[in-house]
Amino acid sequence: MLTPPLSPYEAQRLDELKDYFILNTASEPMFDSIVGLAAALCGTSFAAISLVDRDQQWFKAQHGLGITGSSRDVSVCAHAILEPGIFEVPDTDEDVRFVDNPLLDGAAIRYYGGAPLTGRDGNVLGMLCVLDQTPRKLTPVQRTTLAQLSSVVMALFETGRQDARRQWFGALVDSLQDDVMVFDADSLQCLHVSQNAMQRLGYSEAELGKILATDVSPSLTAEVFNDYMRRLEAGPQEVVYEEERTLPNGDAVPVEVRWQRINTNGRPVLMALVRDIRERRQLEKAKQALIAVVSHEMRTPLTAIYGGIKLVESGSCGALPPAVAAMIGMAGKNTEHLLDIVNDMLDLEKIAAGQMDFDIQPLDVSAVFEDFAVSQRFGAEAKGLSLTLETPPGLRVMADAKRLRQILENLVSNAMKFAPAGTEVRLQAALHEGGIRISVIDAGSGIPDDFRDKIFGRFAQADMEATRDKGGSGLGLSIVKSLAENMQGRVGFESRPGMTCMQVDLPTCPVA
């Protein structure tokens, strides 16, 4: 007897075998019928659907053998899977591979014939085999029949694999804490809902077909929901928003809703993921409280330190040696940077708490730009830049003058950080979609692709050498976004290598 060798592709073969979710499953009448039919058509006493695993051959079904498998070392099928097509041993006593095989000797088996069970990836997973106690050979018709029956077995395996994968995926989805819902993109009818989602929506299994995509967020108006769906159809990866959801027990909880449009084999579906964000909200409140305490506690001593440094730097305490003066200057710059960060954090805290006042009134854009430019031109010239203003006369915007200046300071100072010396930073204003668009344009290296979706987030800084060299708190653009939205505006940007344009859209002054 010879021990069967391993296939050169054994690892891939075993992976595919496991992917069928068939090993060690319960017997099924369909497979029992197939092995009975194979034995009858081939005129043999025994038949089996044998799957060759790492250390064993296991019978999904058997006829007449009375066992469920054996060690792989004594398996004829382990030899058979290495050969192409029908594998036949007319007399096992005459084949050196199977002489003195304890499995065959125990059942007095002298004949083996098998058709390969080939998976979708081309790996032979096992055999549909027929066995007998007397030597023999299959007729051409029997060989063809055995091959056809093996194809039927694999078709049933494939159907079972797909069902098993669906069940496995469904169980996986049901184990998620998030609510998962899938809808047809055209009819908006429900295709799948996780158990968590069904319970929280208050539906039963029998009512699954009644769930529509609009039920995910009942608080949304039809106009807003349709706008989200149009945006998804146009191409964005997802639409994300937060809302309050009322549970069946009456509790109201904050949730984050993420919509995605997915094309599955030409059939678009909508997937909604709803996450309970109560814990996130609590963490955000705790973080804001910590930031507020730290910021307030730091501001007073930092202001005093900065004042003392500037006093020494001015010469009020006497002339300083050059080396000391350089160190004092560096300390002043670093202290000023820390104060800027603290002030930014305090501004964000006020905005988040709704404690920042906004005095919205008509403002002449040209006058705002001219006044702002006076304070910026010296800094621009010191960096080898020019600041140019481009705005037609007569533009009037509805905004808070102090907050608008804060927006301009953040955008222009950011542009000056990255604009190469010898170039210009352009401050523009123009009518745009019924409002006023303010743009700050520089000739820097542009915004990295992997940073674009985070650019207006808190403490967001691109992982660029220039960013690290030039510092910054990563709060400026987040402040710009918050200030603009509190003045009924919005922010955006365009960027490519050699050009970045930061945009703020604000309402125009209504015509009297």
Side-chain angles (χ1 to χ4, degrees):
M1 184 193 104
L2 298 179
T3 300
L6 297 179
S7 162
Y9 309 103
E10 183 67 6
Q12 297 94 313
R13 193 189 70 80
L14 291 173
D15 285 343
E16 186 172 6
L17 176 59
K18 292 176 182 176
D19 194 48
Y20 277 87
F21 299 91
I22 195 71
L23 284 172
N24 302 312
T25 55
S27 62
E28 298 176 57
M30 178 64 72
F31 295 109
D32 294 338
S33 297
I34 289 174
V35 292
L37 181 61
L41 292 173
C42 295
T44 60
S45 301
F46 313 109
I49 295 172
S50 173
L51 297 171
V52 181
D53 198 4
R54 185 184 305 276
D55 301 311
Q56 66 164 341
Q57 69 167 346
W58 176 78
F59 298 156
K60 174 59 181 172
Q62 58 83 27
H63 173 78
L65 289 169
I67 59 175
T68 58
S70 72
S71 167
R72 180 169 176 167
D73 292 343
V74 297
S75 167
V76 180
C77 294
H79 287 277
I81 63 173
L82 302 176
E83 303 292 337
I86 297 291
F87 179 81
E88 195 170 12
V89 184
D91 187 348
T92 57
D93 283 354
E94 299 297 327
D95 194 313
V96 67
R97 292 173 292 182
F98 308 115
V99 173
D100 297 326
N101 183 302
L103 179 65
L104 301 180
D105 290 348
I109 291 173
R110 297 283 299 278
Y111 170 77
Y112 176 97
L117 299 172
T118 306
R120 60 190 298 169
D121 293 337
N123 296 295
V124 179
L125 312 179
M127 303 294 288
L128 170 60
C129 57
V130 291
L131 309 97
D132 208 359
Q133 293 174 325
T134 58
R136 59 184 298 119
K137 285 195 71 173
L138 295 178
T139 67
V141 171
Q142 289 172 332
R143 292 169 68 92
T144 300
T145 300
L146 196 61
Q148 290 173 337
L149 285 175
S150 73
S151 296
V152 172
V153 171
M154 282 311 305
L156 292 172
F157 278 1
E158 181 63 28
T159 300
R161 185 189 74 87
Q162 294 176 7
D163 288 342
R165 288 177 69 86
R166 281 193 289 268
Q167 292 172 10
W168 171 81
F169 182 73
L172 181 64
V173 169
D174 287 340
S175 69
L176 297 176
Q177 292 299 309
D178 295 350
D179 295 353
V180 182
M181 290 160 275
V182 182
F183 302 90
D184 180 83
D186 297 323
S187 67
L188 302 183
Q189 289 184 324
C190 178
L191 300 176
H192 178 81
V193 175
S194 66
Q195 288 297 321
N196 283 340
M198 194 173 297
Q199 292 171 4
R200 290 172 187 169
L201 288 171
Y203 285 96
S204 66
E205 290 279 357
E207 298 174 306
L208 186 63
K210 298 180 181 180
I211 304 176
L212 297 175
T214 50
D215 293 329
V216 174
S217 297
S219 61
L220 292 184
T221 64
E223 181 181 1
V224 172
F225 177 83
N226 291 334
D227 179 60
Y228 285 155
M229 295 304 106
R230 283 192 294 268
R231 285 165 57 186
L232 285 173
E233 193 171 2
Q237 291 185 343
E238 62 181 359
V239 170
V240 184
Y241 56 89
E242 295 181 5
E243 64 175 13
E244 295 290 323
R245 168 167 291 184
T246 302
L247 300 181
N249 64 5
D251 291 344
V253 299
V255 296
E256 177 189 78
V257 182
R258 289 181 174 268
W259 282 99
Q260 296 181 353
R261 184 182 174 96
I262 304 170
N263 191 21
T264 58
N265 296 324
R267 180 187 185 184
V269 298
L270 299 169
M271 183 170 69
L273 294 124
V274 182
R275 173 169 296 181
D276 185 328
I277 57 172
R278 281 177 288 187
E279 184 176 348
R280 183 200 298 177
R281 290 276 181 90
Q282 291 170 355
L283 289 173
E284 287 176 351
K285 288 181 180 179
K287 182 175 68 175
Q288 289 172 0
L290 176 63
I291 289 174
V293 170
V294 171
S295 300
H296 284 288
E297 292 299 322
M298 288 178 64
R299 191 176 194 178
T300 299
L302 277 174
T303 302
I305 291 170
Y306 183 65
I309 289 173
K310 299 306 286 184
L311 189 65
V312 172
E313 193 176 25
S314 69
S316 299
C317 300
L320 299 174
V324 175
M327 293 296 293
I328 289 293
M330 184 183 300
K333 289 181 180 179
N334 289 332
T335 306
E336 184 178 13
H337 177 59
L338 282 174
L339 270 173
D340 288 342
I341 292 175
V342 169
N343 288 330
D344 285 347
M345 291 168 69
L346 289 173
D347 282 343
L348 281 174
E349 176 206 345
K350 288 181 180 178
I351 295 171
Q355 296 174 349
M356 182 171 281
D357 296 327
F358 289 85
D359 181 17
I360 309 295
Q361 55 183 293
L363 300 174
D364 183 278
V365 179
S366 294
V368 172
F369 279 14
E370 289 290 349
D371 181 61
F372 171 74
V374 170
S375 65
Q376 298 293 314
R377 285 205 167 101
F378 176 77
E381 291 172 0
K383 296 177 180 180
L385 303 170
S386 60
L387 178 64
T388 61
L389 309 182
E390 302 172 10
T391 178
L395 283 185
R396 292 169 65 79
V397 66
M398 294 297 295
D400 179 296
K402 181 178 179 181
R403 305 309 170 199
L404 179 56
R405 184 182 180 93
Q406 194 171 356
I407 287 174
L408 297 178
E409 286 174 349
N410 274 297
L411 293 182
V412 171
S413 65
N414 207 49
M416 287 182 179
K417 288 179 184 178
F418 300 102
T423 63
E424 63 179 2
V425 172
R426 295 153 55 201
L427 181 55
Q428 294 180 342
L431 289 170
H432 179 77
E433 295 182 356
I436 303 294
R437 168 162 289 182
I438 295 172
S439 303
V440 177
I441 305 167
D442 67 71
S445 58
I447 300 168
D449 290 341
D450 60 357
F451 182 65
R452 294 178 179 231
D453 59 344
K454 299 178 288 189
I455 189 169
F456 292 107
R458 293 189 180 190
F459 301 102
Q461 288 184 303
D463 187 17
M464 300 163 57
E465 192 65 37
T467 303
R468 291 190 293 272
D469 291 344
K470 299 178 186 300
S473 65
L475 294 170
L477 293 181
S478 179
I479 291 175
V480 167
K481 181 176 184 292
S482 297
L483 292 175
E485 290 174 350
N486 273 274
M487 293 188 291
Q488 308 306 309
R490 60 184 181 183
V491 295
F493 67 90
E494 296 177 16
S495 184
R496 60 179 182 270
M499 191 285 292
T500 295
C501 175
M502 305 302 300
Q503 302 158 343
V504 178
D505 294 342
L506 292 170
T508 187
C509 181
V511 178

